[in-house]
Amino acid sequence: MERVTILGSGAAGFTAAIYTARAGLEPLLVEGPQPGGQLTTTTEGENFPGFPDGIDGFALMDAMRRQAERFGARFRSGVAVAAAFDGPVRRLELDGGEPIETRALIVATGATAKYLGLPSEQALIGHGVSACATCDGAFYRDVPVAVVGGGDTAMEEALFLTRFASRVHVIHRRDAFRASRIMAERVQRHPKIEIHWNHVVEEVRDPAAKQVTGLALRDVKTGAQSELEVAGYFAAIGHRPNTEPFRGLLEMNPAGYLVADRTRTSVPGVYAAGDVQDPVYRQAVTAAGTGCMAALEAERWLGEQDAGS
Ligand code: NDP
């Protein structure tokens, strides 16, 4: 039986592993479908404190992993597909291999950015297609970029991108934003932002050139097709928290994010860290912060259990 199991190998999971390993708990970390998490999909992180010259997302995750390993964390590949929390032992089913039994559990499974799913878009992820303006926006100085979406994320991404880009095109499939009024007004008033109402992206150009050169758009009202020249494309149509195995087991908000109070979920001994419980900040550093919190909470809880038994 494991003392602490951590699900997820992003900034939250690795930080939880560093802390629990250093506390002598020999945590087991299950890597999930994307080892290293969302940061490995960006080129360079410029806002993680401590790296004034920036750090490659992959290198940062690798450093965190090695740091956890140094203190005795163990790693295992696999994806949790189901869980049972009905006794003192938490049981996890993985997509392959033996199930895991653990006393404490830290869920750091993250969230996955939604993309439109066009083949041309998928082909250019990391080559001008991104879902994180905070991560990649600074690479688009003095060139036009596009943001797809009409919610608060799209508004935030568009406003952030005005700091760098020569022009920010917001492409929205309807004639009204879903975003909060204050954010929508800020976007509509901004001199650098041009809104393309009732438009959808049909294709991202140009996979053959291995870079984004423009978008093929369609007006959903008239059917008219047009081309828009941009050097960057940001999907901002929402994130999906990776909480499927915990549906009906852990309290979630209507969007599926785990509800956590100081990382404590609705089940004692089960903690949530990183984007899986954070629809607002979604930064590597906040994920790392909650990973630390979850580790300290788990350590304390295990100590209390041992003292009481
Ligand atoms: P939302 O679900 O609120 O918005 C998604 C947007 O993307 C919608 O405008 C939607 O269009 C559009 N969209 C979805 N799918 C497609 C598609 N296939 N093609 C084209 N467009 C599509 O997600 P957000 O990430 O913006 O926000 C999630 C939650 O987080 C919200 O509650 C939001 O308020 C909150 N949030 C708060 C922030 C803040 O307070 N600072 C910052 C960011 C998020 P349509 O409108 O037509 O459905």
Side-chain angles (χ1 to χ4, degrees):
M1 161 118 59
E2 300 294 336
R3 271 185 286 183
V4 187
T5 300
I6 299 162
L7 297 180
S9 57
F14 281 142
T15 305
I18 292 166
Y19 273 77
T20 48
R22 222 168 152 263
L25 296 171
E26 297 172 324
L28 174 68
L29 185 146
V30 181
E31 288 174 332
Q34 190 184 354
Q38 288 184 69
L39 264 191
T40 56
T41 65
T42 76
T43 37
E44 189 164 277
E46 289 184 331
N47 51 14
F48 198 87
F51 298 93
D53 303 318
I55 180 161
D56 175 76
F58 191 86
L60 179 61
M61 289 302 105
D62 185 54
M64 286 191 188
R65 182 196 171 96
R66 285 187 284 114
Q67 194 172 351
E69 212 162 21
R70 181 181 146 207
F71 295 114
R74 292 161 301 131
F75 302 95
R76 167 171 170 179
S77 60
V79 178
V81 289
F85 299 148
D86 40 11
V89 176
R90 289 81 179 75
R91 198 177 152 88
L92 297 163
E93 304 288 341
L94 302 191
D95 62 352
E98 291 292 297
I100 294 171
E101 293 192 331
T102 186
R103 290 175 63 198
L105 175 67
I106 297 175
V107 181
T109 47
T112 306
K114 293 187 211 163
Y115 286 92
L116 293 176
L118 303 165
S120 55
E121 175 200 54
Q122 298 301 298
L124 289 166
I125 289 177
H127 299 277
V129 168
S130 167
C132 178
T134 328
C135 318
D136 299 329
F139 300 117
Y140 299 93
R141 280 178 207 277
D142 304 320
V143 291
V145 298
V147 176
V148 180
D152 279 319
T153 301
M155 303 300 107
E156 274 198 349
E157 302 272 272
L159 289 166
F160 183 78
L161 287 164
T162 60
R163 300 185 200 180
F164 313 102
S166 57
R167 193 139 195 86
V168 179
H169 297 274
V170 174
I171 296 150
H172 186 37
R173 62 184 177 184
R174 291 191 294 129
D175 60 0
F177 286 138
R178 171 183 300 276
S180 57
R181 200 167 142 190
I182 183 163
M183 296 290 282
E185 281 177 359
R186 238 178 252 166
V187 164
Q188 282 168 277
R189 272 203 313 266
H190 202 289
K192 264 194 182 178
I193 298 179
E194 188 175 327
I195 302 165
H196 301 256
W197 301 110
N198 301 310
H199 275 76
V200 290
V201 177
E202 291 210 306
E203 204 172 324
V204 184
R205 312 225 192 265
D206 177 10
K210 287 202 164 50
Q211 62 176 2
V212 171
T213 57
L215 302 174
L217 301 181
R218 180 169 53 85
D219 185 322
V220 293
K221 287 258 157 93
T222 66
Q225 292 178 313
S226 56
E227 294 284 328
L228 183 67
E229 207 177 293
V230 290
Y233 159 98
F234 292 82
I237 60 170
H239 282 73
R240 203 182 0 255
N242 302 320
T243 51
E244 205 47 52
F246 309 108
R247 209 158 281 281
L249 299 176
L250 297 176
E251 191 186 343
M252 297 178 191
N253 77 7
Y257 286 88
L258 296 183
V259 173
D261 174 21
R262 282 164 52 194
T263 74
R264 288 178 270 188
T265 69
S266 52
V267 172
V270 179
Y271 303 90
D275 287 12
V276 75
Q277 51 85 60
D278 172 18
V280 179
Y281 301 106
R282 300 198 296 249
Q283 301 298 301
V285 67
T286 50
T290 51
C292 159
M293 289 162 63
L296 295 177
E297 291 288 337
E299 184 189 349
R300 191 169 306 157
W301 182 80
L302 284 167
E304 284 167 8
Q305 298 285 304
D306 290 341
S309 60

